[in-house]
Amino acid sequence: MTRAEIRERIQLRQSSLKDYLLCPKLFEYRHLKGIEPKTRSAKALNGSALHLLLFWLHHGEWDMDVENMYPKAFAHYEYSSDESHIPVRFTKDRETDIRVFTATAVEIVDGYRRRPENELSRMLYQEVEFRVTILSETFTGTIDGIRELPDGKIELFDYKSNAIRPNVHAVAADIQLNLYSYAAMWGEFKVGVDEWIKPHILPDYSSIYYLPAHKIRKRNSPQGEKGQEMSYPLIRTSKSIEDLRAFRKEVSNILKSMLKPWYFKNNSHACVFCQYTDLCQSQNPLVTDRMAEKANDLLAELNMT
């Protein structure tokens, strides 16, 4: 396959960059060959449902009844998304899983509403589509939000709902967050049906908002007391113009490799987490079907489906 053929088949989005860095073979299956997974993880749909709840929250539903609204948000992605034809894989069964998800969503949204800055901040953009050109290539995607904090500072943020809390060093190097920050500064945002604007924003913070931090501790532990929230939700970094220019160089190097007409080799150490292990047995003969099934669940918890 030539460079031109590769470029014609793929969309340059944050997801394609992320998948390529995780494993070129995964990138080939998902973005070049367009192979769909056999099932969707209920845990991945739960993350999307939480995003939708927070979108509603900031669009006139601040006092929403989460227990009532969560199942509607989940059903939207289960039955009305572009992937609604792919069966959903539940951990136990649909009723049990949604009951557990709903209880957790109530804790998360209640905790989110308790933080004054979440109510007092002015949401400038939420779930906004962007496009940005980097070295003659156009990247697209969707930014969770950009807000003006009560003290006047601007924060670009990405909601995360996976089980493992990222540390500040991982956040600083996060490819998605860097792309979002670059797009806010030099890209365009879609604000109407066919209307695009250049925001030209250099945020004071580029942050991960870790939603599970609002979950309530069920027992005392060295990390905290029963009844307290799990942790502080915001993991904040800042991006200078020099940081964004360094990111542009990083993307250039990734693109040179990504679009190179070569064999996409499985060089990942995370095969057990991949939803394509059933197609990749020749690369990983020790990965059993049972391990592959467990891997899909772990992948969803890491928000990598």
Side-chain angles (χ1 to χ4, degrees), residues 36 80-85:
E36 291 184 335
S80 303
S81 73
D82 293 339
E83 296 184 334
S84 59
H85 59 286

Side-chain angles (χ1 to χ4, degrees), residues 198-217:
K198 295 182 178 180
H200 199 65
I201 294 173
L202 182 63
D204 296 285
Y205 303 114
S206 294
S207 309
I208 293 296
Y209 198 111
Y210 185 61
L211 295 172
H214 290 306
K215 292 169 64 176
I216 301 301
R217 295 185 183 277

Side-chain angles (χ1 to χ4, degrees), residues 26-27 71 106 151 160 162 166 168 197 209 216 249 259 294:
L26 166 66
F27 168 81
V106 169
D151 62 4
K160 293 293 185 187
N162 44 293
V168 67
I197 64 167
Y209 198 111
I216 301 301
K249 185 174 182 180
L259 301 179
K294 289 183 177 180

Side-chain angles (χ1 to χ4, degrees), residues 13 16 40-41 62 103 109 116 197 210 250:
R13 297 179 61 84
S16 55
R40 292 179 292 161
S41 166
W62 188 262
V109 175
I197 64 167
Y210 185 61
E250 178 186 3

Side-chain angles (χ1 to χ4, degrees), residues 124-125 128-130 188-199:
L124 304 177
Y125 303 97
V128 62
E129 293 181 41
F130 71 84
E188 295 178 296
F189 287 179
K190 188 176 183 180
V191 295
V193 177
D194 293 309
E195 183 182 358
W196 292 82
I197 64 167
K198 295 182 178 180

Side-chain angles (χ1 to χ4, degrees), residues 40 45 48 73-86 88:
R40 292 179 292 161
L45 268 64
S48 298
F74 188 94
H76 170 77
Y77 289 101
E78 185 176 9
Y79 300 121
S80 303
S81 73
D82 293 339
E83 296 184 334
S84 59
H85 59 286
I86 303 175
V88 178

Side-chain angles (χ1 to χ4, degrees), residues 8-277:
E8 184 178 351
R9 294 190 185 191
I10 66 171
Q11 290 184 327
L12 290 178
R13 297 179 61 84
Q14 68 266 34
S15 58
S16 55
L17 286 172
K18 181 178 174 182
D19 287 343
Y20 181 78
L21 292 173
L22 179 64
C23 176
K25 197 67 177 177
L26 166 66
F27 168 81
E28 179 187 25
Y29 286 145
R30 179 177 288 169
H31 300 282
L32 287 181
K33 295 184 176 180
I35 298 174
E36 291 184 335
K38 294 179 180 178
T39 60
R40 292 179 292 161
S41 166
K43 293 176 183 178
L45 268 64
N46 173 57
S48 298
L50 287 171
H51 277 64
L52 185 55
L53 285 179
L54 294 173
F55 180 84
W56 290 340
L57 204 70
H58 287 285
H59 285 76
E61 298 290 339
W62 188 262
D63 296 319
M64 73 165 69
D65 179 351
V66 179
E67 191 170 1
N68 178 56
M69 295 296 286
Y70 177 86
K72 297 178 181 179
F74 188 94
H76 170 77
Y77 289 101
E78 185 176 9
Y79 300 121
S80 303
S81 73
D82 293 339
E83 296 184 334
S84 59
H85 59 286
I86 303 175
V88 178
R89 184 182 68 259
F90 293 96
T91 302
K92 293 185 177 179
D93 57 73
R94 186 181 190 279
E95 183 179 354
T96 301
D97 282 10
I98 291 183
R99 185 167 60 248
V100 172
F101 292 155
T102 300
T104 301
V106 169
E107 290 184 354
I108 287 174
V109 175
D110 283 350
Y112 185 91
R113 287 188 287 207
R114 279 195 298 269
R115 289 190 59 80
E117 67 179 2
N118 291 336
E119 183 176 9
L120 299 176
S121 294
R122 183 166 68 96
M123 195 68 72
L124 304 177
Y125 303 97
Q126 192 175 19
E127 299 296 333
V128 62
E129 293 181 41
F130 71 84
R131 64 188 183 192
V132 62
T133 301
I134 304 177
L135 302 171
S136 302
E137 295 285 358
T138 300
F139 291 80
T140 61
T142 303
I143 297 173
D144 285 354
I146 299 179
R147 63 183 182 175
E148 182 181 3
L149 298 169
D151 62 4
K153 292 184 177 181
I154 304 298
E155 181 168 47
L156 181 152
F157 61 90
D158 189 38
Y159 293 126
K160 293 293 185 187
S161 57
N162 44 293
I164 300 176
R165 178 188 176 91
N167 62 49
V168 67
H169 304 293
V171 172
D174 186 83
I175 194 81
Q176 290 182 240
L177 207 55
N178 284 326
L179 179 60
Y180 297 160
S181 301
Y182 193 96
M185 184 64 191
W186 286 305
E188 295 178 296
F189 287 179
K190 188 176 183 180
V191 295
V193 177
D194 293 309
E195 183 182 358
W196 292 82
I197 64 167
K198 295 182 178 180
H200 199 65
I201 294 173
L202 182 63
D204 296 285
Y205 303 114
S206 294
S207 309
I208 293 296
Y209 198 111
Y210 185 61
L211 295 172
H214 290 306
K215 292 169 64 176
I216 301 301
R217 295 185 183 277
K218 305 302 188 290
R219 60 183 65 85
N220 293 328
S221 75
Q223 287 73 40
E225 297 181 2
K226 179 180 178 180
Q228 292 180 337
E229 290 191 352
M230 297 296 288
S231 62
Y232 182 70
L234 280 162
I235 308 164
R236 284 175 165 153
T237 66
S238 61
K239 310 290 181 186
S240 66
I241 292 295
E242 289 72 22
D243 291 330
L244 297 182
R245 287 172 177 159
F247 168 72
R248 181 171 58 198
K249 185 174 182 180
E250 178 186 3
V251 169
S252 172
N253 292 332
I254 295 171
L255 279 174
K256 287 177 183 176
S257 179
M258 181 188 295
L259 301 179
K260 187 177 180 181
W262 66 338
Y263 174 70
F264 290 91
K265 184 179 180 181
N266 180 346
N267 61 2
S268 174
H269 295 291
C271 298
V272 71
F273 298 109
C274 182
Q275 59 188 334
Y276 291 98
T277 47

